[in-house]
Amino acid sequence: MVRLLLSSETDPVNVGNPTELTILAFAQSINRLTANQAGIAFMPLPVDDPRVRRPDITRARTILGGSHRLRSRMG
């Protein structure tokens, strides 16, 4: 993030984790990390809901000269 901040890049750069993670798995992870006892609310999916949530971080790799090494749980 610091390298991107200090770069001359002004366009959006996706620095997400390229490992696909379902929203359910993400919500469960957040609940575990925060000791949330409220549970998870399941709602109908929007019509345009993406079926694959795997960000393309090619631009970030190119601009930053590599990729991050943190798993989503660590970052």
Side-chain angles (χ1 to χ4, degrees):
M1 294 301 291
V2 173
R3 274 196 280 169
L4 184 57
L5 177 67
L6 297 176
S7 77
S8 61
E9 188 59 46
T10 58
D11 291 330
V13 178
N14 191 340
V15 293
N17 190 324
T19 303
E20 188 170 352
L21 183 67
T22 66
I23 295 299
L24 177 59
F26 182 68
Q28 290 169 332
S29 179
I30 295 298
N31 281 348
R32 268 193 311 278
L33 292 170
T34 61
N36 178 21
Q37 298 297 314
I40 299 170
F42 292 88
M43 308 296 283
L45 294 175
V47 176
D48 60 348
D49 188 64
R51 296 294 176 202
V52 176
R53 288 180 172 83
R54 184 175 180 190
D56 181 357
I57 63 167
T58 304
R59 263 187 97 237
R61 285 182 175 148
T62 301
I63 293 166
L64 302 175
S67 62
H68 57 72
R69 291 171 177 77
L70 292 178
R71 293 185 307 257
S72 59
R73 186 165 186 227
M74 295 174 64

